[in-house]
Amino acid sequence: MSELRLREDLSAIPDYKPGKATAQTAPEVPVYKVSSNENPYPPLPSVAAAIADRISLINRYPETAATALTSMLCARFDVAPANVVLGSGSVEVVSQLMRATAGEGDEVLFAWRSFEAYPMLVRAAGATPVAVPLTADHRHDLDAMRAAITDRTRLIIVCNPNNPTGTTIGAEELTAFLDAVPDDITVVIDEAYVHFNERADSPSGIEYFRRYANVAVAHTFSKAYGLAGLRIGYAIAPERLANALRKVAIPFGVTDLAQAAAVASLHAEEELSARVADLVTERERVVAAFVAAGISLPETQANFVWVPFGDATTAAAELLERHGLLVRPFAGEGFRVTIAEREANDLLVKLAPELAALASPVAVA
């Protein structure tokens, strides 16, 4: 029997590896999944109630226009409904941007290492990924990204704060970069972790959307708002681009439950902001413990920490797993660990000296 005919270029797409969910630890060892940048807090009561109120309607398709949520986003950012496009998380919104702007023979440019899904999504869109190495301090190299632009470039992604390093860019350098990008190339500022960013001169994506006709912004409800399991995000984009995103979006891709939860979350902004502040405080506590142990870390303005351990990465991940901490290792480079429950953070602080003993000279100050 003949084999099914599939796209030949699919072999070039690596499988996405989700954060590890299980560990081979002793039964008495509690396990903390700190590999997926999830918010450790349970849903707020008001958000849970909003979801419960819609359960009886799940036999119906969701409203494609998401009128209530779109209205709130328009009021918050002072944009028109025509500028707002929803998706099942910011990753799906970024995928829409790729499929709307690039195809066979086109290039999508991004920093590397950055979000793991970028090169996969580019290949899935039929385009060519162009990954520009980060600087020595794990930040976007905007000069190198500018130099990598060709007549085939259709989309540029700027992830700020960057995942998995947590590093950021400043407003002055982003302005200089955008001034140099041809205005027929779309630039998306992926701000999935924007709520955790306390850098004083960090650019606001929405302000750059207002200033540049080729800029879009991607946001998510998965991180600060804690709706990762419901999958909802959105883009704010120029109207012509937004219309193109809708053409490639999955019909009814954002569920009614997700829309209701997002609306309730926006109403509960004050409570959620307090949770974000607590996570930032915990982040600084973990960073301080690592630095005190002699481990050199890059800046982080996200809800995670990047630990550049080089060849010691696998050994460090195994050590942490034995103690019930499941991190996200990138062999030969480093590991990312999410700021999570206080108990998990306490364990990280406690294990910092043991990790320092494993680290390569590059990773230890």
Side-chain angles (χ1 to χ4, degrees), residues 112 126 173 206 224 264 269 299 331 337 342:
W112 194 255
E173 58 184 322
I206 188 65
E269 194 80 38
E299 159 214 33
V337 55
R342 180 176 290 271

Side-chain angles (χ1 to χ4, degrees), residues 17 24 44 91 95 97 116 132 140 161 176 187 198 201 203 242 256 275 280 292 295-297 341 345 360:
K17 297 182 176 65
Q24 301 300 316
L44 289 170
V91 63
S95 177
L97 282 157
E116 258 188 296
V132 178
H140 278 59
V187 179
E198 296 194 325
D201 69 333
D256 184 66
R275 290 181 167 188
V280 169
I295 300 173
S296 180
L297 299 175
E341 299 91 338
N345 304 332
S360 64

Side-chain angles (χ1 to χ4, degrees), residues 317-336:
E318 290 172 350
L319 167 67
L320 292 169
E321 182 169 335
R322 288 196 298 273
H323 287 84
L325 288 171
L326 307 181
V327 300
R328 187 64 169 267
F330 299 87
E333 299 179 55
F335 65 88
R336 188 192 68 198

Side-chain angles (χ1 to χ4, degrees), residues 195-286:
H195 296 85
F196 304 97
N197 186 0
E198 296 194 325
R199 177 170 172 169
D201 69 333
S202 186
S204 166
I206 188 65
E207 294 306 320
Y208 282 77
F209 158 78
R210 300 189 204 287
R211 289 167 55 184
Y212 295 88
N214 60 332
V215 169
V217 184
H219 286 174
T220 183
F221 283 92
S222 296
K223 311 304 180 185
Y225 294 97
L227 301 183
L230 285 178
R231 311 307 302 129
I232 181 166
Y234 58 94
I236 296 175
E239 184 172 350
R240 181 167 178 267
L241 175 60
N243 287 335
L245 299 189
R246 294 186 187 95
K247 290 179 183 293
V248 298
I250 300 170
F252 306 110
V254 179
T255 68
D256 184 66
L257 298 184
Q259 293 179 36
V263 168
S265 295
L266 291 175
H267 280 302
E269 194 80 38
E270 188 172 338
E271 292 175 272
L272 290 167
S273 293
R275 290 181 167 188
V276 168
D278 286 343
L279 289 172
V280 169
T281 298
E282 284 293 283
R283 178 185 75 196
E284 299 311 311
R285 181 168 74 94
V286 170

Side-chain angles (χ1 to χ4, degrees), residues 10-136:
L10 291 183
S11 61
I13 304 177
D15 293 332
Y16 180 78
K17 297 182 176 65
K20 196 169 184 179
T22 59
Q24 301 300 316
T25 55
E28 68 274 8
V29 176
V31 175
Y32 301 100
K33 183 186 176 190
V34 290
S35 57
S36 296
N37 295 342
E38 296 160 330
N39 192 315
Y41 294 105
L44 289 170
S46 60
V47 175
I51 295 170
D53 286 345
R54 306 297 296 183
I55 287 290
S56 63
L57 300 175
I58 62 173
N59 58 310
R60 305 295 184 184
Y61 284 111
E63 182 196 7
T64 301
T67 305
L69 177 57
T70 299
S71 176
M72 291 188 73
L73 292 173
C74 288
R76 165 170 298 230
F77 295 110
D78 191 22
V79 297
N83 299 123
V84 179
V85 182
L86 298 179
S88 56
S90 58
V91 63
E92 206 264 318
V93 167
V94 170
S95 177
Q96 291 174 13
L97 282 157
M98 293 175 183
R99 287 178 283 125
T101 60
E104 185 176 355
D106 298 328
E107 295 175 345
V108 176
L109 184 65
F110 49 86
W112 194 255
R113 178 171 292 277
S114 192
F115 182 35
E116 258 188 296
Y118 290 158
M120 304 174 196
L121 295 174
V122 174
R123 296 261 185 213
T128 301
V130 178
V132 178
L134 298 172
T135 62

